[in-house]
Amino acid sequence: MKITLKDGSSKEFPEGASGLDIAKALSQKLGKQALAVRVNGTVQDIDTPITRDSTVDILTFDDEDGKKAMWHTASHVLAQAVKRLYPGVKLAIGPATDSGFYYDFDAETPFTNEDLAKIEKEMKKIVAENIPIERSVLPRGEAVKKVKELGEDYKVELIEELPEGEEISFYTQGDFCDLCAGPHVASTGKVKVPKLLKTAGAYWRGDEKNKMLQRIYGTAFLQQQDLDKYLEQLAEAEKRDHNKLGRELHYFTTHPAVGQGLPLLMPKGAKTMQVLQRFVEDEEEKRGYQLTKTPYMAKKDLFVISGHWDHYHDGMFIMGEDDPEQKAEVIALRPMTCPFQYTIYNAEHHSYRDLPVRYNETSTLFRKEASGEMHGLIRIRQFTLSEGHIICMPQQIEEEFEAVIDLIKYVMKSLGIEDDISYRFSKWDENDTEKYIGSKEEWESSQGTMKKILDHVGLDYVEADGEAAFYGPKLDIQFKNVFGKEDTLFTIQVDFALAERFDMTYVDSDGQKKRPIIIHRSSIGCYERTLAMLIEKYAGALPLWMMSEQVRLMSITDAAADYCHEYAKKLRAAGIRVYVDDRQEKIGYKIREARNERIPYMLVAGEKEIADGTFAVRKRGEGEIGNKSGEEFMRMCLEQIDDKIIF
């Protein structure tokens, strides 16, 4: 039979040939161990039989899906090791992640570091045993019976929630068997070099109402040297982790009495967010946006009209829904600003001459994130969004969409992250239409329009089915944190549905009422998430223009303290954020402290500097750059702030 390879070439293979047979035939070309196979776009086990007229891609550790097949197997090796050492532990789930794997266990006591060392040692034994991994399929009744006999209650729950007709598969490696959809590598020996990293608590299904389980994180590589390199990168990432560094530098804090997902911005963090907010709002005003200010909450009625009540109910904070006395006026905290700005649009009549109408707002929003999903400033329950909506005629959509991309590119360049992002074209899932509003024709039309725009602009993007908003497709601008987890930083959405729901109209040149098209957009995204990303990218040493403290003046003598304070007044009057350290401490101590706080400029003054009318200037990352007069330094500093110089 003829098999088409991913590169477009074709080869003849015997009927019933497997991915493994094809991998062996291509072994010299591959140059690396085959781990899995992609057949007609679906990743499968390497020994999967291939049917004729298929397109096949052999996956190695160089391929993302090849990595994940090995890491998924490593999670099963971990589970097998735990069951060997602690037979009473129950299994939950164990997926591959972007950088390794984890497995959740129901254990009576938390795992210790000593336990992890024992488990990792047992994992290496299982790898050395090179146990073949076999896949089997069972009918629902037999599958439930099997996991009940194994005493795996969580697996019973997973099977019972599967749709009727769904294939139920198990993977067996020696004395260990686990419910799993796969794919996996051929044997435990392919995992090569496993490493357990840490343990943490995790609620079953990410719901704090469920039992707390014990999660063990790990990774695996083909060679020890690759693992060593990864561990070095991980150590550097942990130093940069905003959840640690942001607290150490006093950007934010949290407290159990305040609540999970509700960070408290300290003066440094609040000032940086204010600087970013003013920058964004000023730039949006230059580009024709009109500022709105809308309520933090609204009656249920508004969210019923918008569709959020049906499609986003579980993600909203709702007050009075279960109180019979408040049933007439159930209130919800807003998860987004769209319905409010549409209501503002409808407060006036509009003609085609008024369009496009561009609204912007710095919005405080509320979303009911699951406990297990929240992390530092990246995923929280109350956050601040640079939100905006463009209401335009259909013939204006391309120009307006491109203008939004231009705005976002300008903001990213100013932040210094233009080379750190990627683009994702998020589309609907036509196999799960209940998640969305609108017809198939409307979705295909809007997605076709967006694709045309993205191709015209020349963006290098990937497509993702099922990632669209419930009311339309979107362009997501993605950024990876220091641990490799990808999050959405900015988003642009085309909305063909909500103008109809809110009865939004304009009078066209022919005198007829028509529906506008809406573009939802953010120009800097969630401010808290952006701040977290900036802390990690710059290891806390944010660019000069956005630092809460840009200059620190340090006095060597009492007389120099007065000299510093007088100059500080001039800097503040010019708009430069400055602090005077006039403590009676050694100057070396003051410099070290300022360096640890990532202060961009340190100006030292003693008797010599007073006599010369200068300051000894130290620049972050460079050290001493010579003495400068007050006027010379101020001019240089203001130029760098205005030009948003990154250092």
Side-chain angles (χ1 to χ4, degrees):
M1 63 178 180
K2 185 178 284 187
I3 299 295
T4 302
L5 303 176
K6 178 129 183 245
D7 62 9
S9 63
S10 297
K11 288 186 181 293
E12 289 288 338
F13 287 92
E15 292 289 337
S18 70
L20 193 56
D21 296 323
I22 297 172
K24 287 177 181 176
L26 300 174
S27 58
Q28 281 191 326
K29 183 178 179 181
L30 289 172
K32 290 197 174 182
Q33 177 70 50
L35 298 173
V37 61
R38 189 185 291 114
V39 183
N40 298 328
T42 302
V43 182
Q44 301 180 34
D45 300 327
I46 191 65
D47 58 0
T48 299
I50 311 298
T51 57
R52 63 172 57 248
D53 301 324
S54 294
T55 300
V56 174
D57 184 20
I58 302 299
L59 304 174
T60 70
F61 198 73
D62 289 338
D63 302 290
E64 198 63 33
D65 288 327
K67 279 190 182 77
K68 289 196 171 182
M70 193 186 87
W71 286 337
H72 195 172
T73 303
S75 78
H76 280 222
V77 172
L78 165 60
Q80 184 177 14
V82 169
K83 292 294 279 187
R84 281 185 179 183
L85 296 170
Y86 312 97
V89 168
K90 293 185 184 296
L91 306 177
I93 57 171
T97 66
D98 290 338
S99 57
F101 59 89
Y102 69 78
Y103 212 110
D104 289 344
F105 302 96
D106 185 352
E108 288 187 7
T109 57
F111 293 111
T112 64
N113 289 335
E114 289 75 17
D115 292 328
L116 290 192
K118 287 168 59 179
I119 295 167
E120 185 180 305
K121 185 177 180 181
E122 191 64 32
M123 286 179 71
K124 290 176 179 176
K125 286 183 184 177
I126 294 168
V127 169
E129 291 168 20
N130 196 24
I131 308 166
I133 299 172
E134 299 175 352
R135 182 178 185 271
S136 59
V137 177
L138 290 177
R140 179 180 294 268
E142 291 183 35
V144 171
K145 181 182 177 184
K146 182 179 182 72
V147 293
K148 282 184 176 178
E149 288 174 352
L150 292 171
E152 301 295 353
D153 303 336
Y154 297 97
K155 305 294 183 179
V156 174
E157 184 178 327
L158 292 173
I159 293 173
E160 289 177 342
E161 289 187 357
L162 290 173
E164 286 295 333
E166 185 88 4
E167 187 175 73
I168 302 172
S169 57
F170 291 82
Y171 282 82
T172 302
Q173 52 199 56
D175 59 356
F176 177 77
C177 181
D178 200 359
L179 171 75
C180 187
H184 288 277
V185 297
S187 68
T188 61
K190 300 294 186 291
V191 172
K192 300 295 184 185
V193 189
K195 177 67 180 176
L196 297 184
L197 301 172
K198 62 179 180 178
T199 183
Y203 292 108
W204 170 237
R205 297 295 185 80
D207 189 338
E208 59 189 359
K209 296 176 184 175
N210 292 334
K211 186 171 184 179
M212 175 73 79
L213 305 177
Q214 300 302 312
R215 176 173 295 178
I216 297 178
Y217 289 93
T219 192
F221 286 85
L222 298 178
Q223 300 180 63
Q224 183 66 43
Q225 64 191 42
D226 293 328
L227 173 62
D228 292 341
K229 183 178 178 182
Y230 171 76
L231 293 176
E232 287 176 14
Q233 293 171 342
L234 187 62
E236 177 61 25
E238 287 174 347
K239 290 179 188 175
R240 289 173 174 259
D241 180 8
H242 84 278
N243 207 16
K244 174 177 180 289
L245 189 57
R247 295 170 193 270
E248 290 174 355
L249 293 176
H250 305 297
Y251 277 92
F252 76 100
T253 188
T254 54
H255 194 279
V258 176
Q260 194 176 11
L262 299 170
L264 302 161
L265 288 178
M266 301 171 78
K268 281 186 181 179
K271 173 51 71 174
T272 296
M273 281 210 7
Q274 183 189 56
V275 171
L276 293 174
Q277 180 180 326
R278 287 173 174 173
F279 159 65
V280 168
E281 289 181 350
D282 288 347
E283 185 60 33
E284 288 172 336
E285 186 172 0
K286 292 175 189 174
R287 295 177 185 241
Y289 284 86
Q290 301 176 70
L291 187 65
T292 66
K293 200 74 176 170
T294 56
Y296 287 5
M297 63 186 77
K299 290 171 61 177
K300 166 186 174 181
D301 308 43
L302 186 70
F303 300 114
V304 169
I305 296 170
S306 68
H308 289 98
W309 199 260
D310 292 329
H311 295 273
Y312 205 78
H313 181 274
D314 292 343
M316 297 168 67
F317 289 100
I318 299 167
M319 296 171 282
E321 190 175 22
D322 300 322
D323 186 347
E325 294 183 8
Q326 282 190 254
K327 211 162 190 179
E329 197 171 78
V330 174
I331 298 289
L333 295 176
R334 63 180 183 185
M336 56 275 296
T337 311
C338 333
F340 299 88
Q341 291 195 335
Y342 303 158
T343 305
I344 288 174
Y345 177 87
N346 281 341
E348 300 175 295
H349 294 290
H350 298 273
S351 81
Y352 69 97
R353 292 189 181 90
D354 301 322
L355 272 53
V357 172
R358 305 182 189 98
Y359 293 134
N360 68 306
E361 182 167 337
T362 303
S363 311
T364 300
L365 303 178
F366 307 86
R367 296 185 186 173
K368 201 172 184 179
E369 298 284 0
S371 297
E373 295 295 319
M374 287 182 287
H375 173 66
L377 296 176
I378 288 179
R379 194 167 291 276
I380 51 183
R381 286 177 170 165
Q382 176 183 312
F383 59 95
T384 314
L385 187 67
S386 63
E387 204 159 7
H389 299 89
I390 301 166
I391 298 113
C392 61
M393 294 183 286
Q395 61 267 36
Q396 295 171 324
I397 190 168
E398 290 190 37
E399 182 180 355
E400 290 301 314
F401 198 99
E402 290 183 18
V404 172
I405 292 175
D406 184 70
L407 168 61
I408 287 175
K409 283 186 172 181
Y410 172 73
V411 171
M412 287 189 293
K413 183 178 180 181
S414 299
L415 298 179
I417 63 170
E418 68 269 33
D419 297 327
D420 301 319
I421 55 88
S422 60
Y423 297 96
R424 184 180 74 188
F425 176 21
S426 297
K427 305 189 296 184
W428 81 322
D429 182 355
E430 59 181 288
N431 298 314
D432 188 10
T433 57
E434 291 185 6
K435 295 196 303 184
Y436 311 97
I437 57 179
S439 66
K440 181 178 180 180
E441 291 74 21
E442 288 172 317
W443 276 92
E444 288 179 347
S445 174
S446 61
Q447 289 184 168
T449 299
M450 183 178 284
K451 181 172 175 57
K452 179 183 174 184
I453 296 168
L454 298 181
D455 291 340
H456 180 258
V457 173
L459 287 185
D460 182 15
Y461 61 87
V462 297
E463 298 186 17
D465 292 331
E467 295 293 336
F470 70 82
Y471 45 76
K474 56 180 178 162
L475 175 68
D476 292 322
I477 292 86
Q478 304 293 105
F479 189 94
K480 287 186 178 180
N481 68 16
V482 287
F483 296 106
K485 185 180 184 303
E486 189 171 88
D487 284 297
T488 299
L489 203 57
F490 308 83
T491 188
I492 316 172
Q493 303 163 5
V494 174
D495 176 1
F496 57 82
L498 293 186
E500 179 80 29
R501 282 178 167 259
F502 279 87
D503 194 25
M504 298 167 69
T505 62
Y506 66 94
V507 178
D508 208 348
S509 56
D510 59 7
Q512 299 297 310
K513 280 189 174 183
K514 295 182 181 177
R515 298 281 183 214
I517 299 291
I518 302 166
I519 299 174
H520 302 241
R521 50 101 284 198
S522 177
S523 49
I524 197 172
C526 164
Y527 282 94
E528 289 86 355
R529 181 176 290 182
T530 299
L531 177 59
M533 175 271 297
L534 291 170
I535 290 170
E536 293 186 350
K537 175 179 173 60
Y538 294 111
L542 303 187
L544 172 68
W545 71 271
M546 67 179 78
M547 279 291 288
S548 59
E549 183 184 338
Q550 296 165 318
V551 178
R552 182 168 295 181
L553 298 170
M554 292 177 269
S555 58
I556 297 176
T557 64
D558 289 342
D562 294 335
Y563 179 70
C564 288
H565 279 290
E566 283 302 311
Y567 184 56
K569 291 177 185 177
K570 295 178 182 178
L571 291 178
R572 291 191 189 102
I576 296 172
R577 295 182 289 278
V578 59
Y579 171 77
V580 177
D581 185 350
D582 58 3
R583 295 174 298 167
Q584 292 183 343
E585 297 281 357
K586 290 183 178 179
I587 194 64
Y589 175 82
K590 292 182 180 182
I591 291 172
R592 282 194 301 275
E593 198 171 70
R595 190 189 301 128
N596 290 338
E597 293 181 40
R598 280 67 164 178
I599 306 302
Y601 281 110
M602 293 161 265
L603 273 59
V604 179
E607 291 181 6
K608 180 180 181 302
E609 285 73 26
I610 295 173
D612 295 342
T614 64
F615 290 89
V617 182
R618 301 179 67 92
K619 186 177 181 181
R620 184 179 63 197
E622 294 183 26
E624 295 180 11
I625 61 171
N627 280 39
K628 295 184 184 296
S629 69
E631 286 187 11
E632 183 185 4
F633 173 78
M634 185 186 296
R635 185 169 57 251
M636 178 190 74
C637 192
L638 287 173
E639 285 176 359
Q640 293 178 351
I641 292 169
D642 290 343
D643 294 340
K644 296 181 171 54
I645 300 297
I646 307 294
F647 70 81

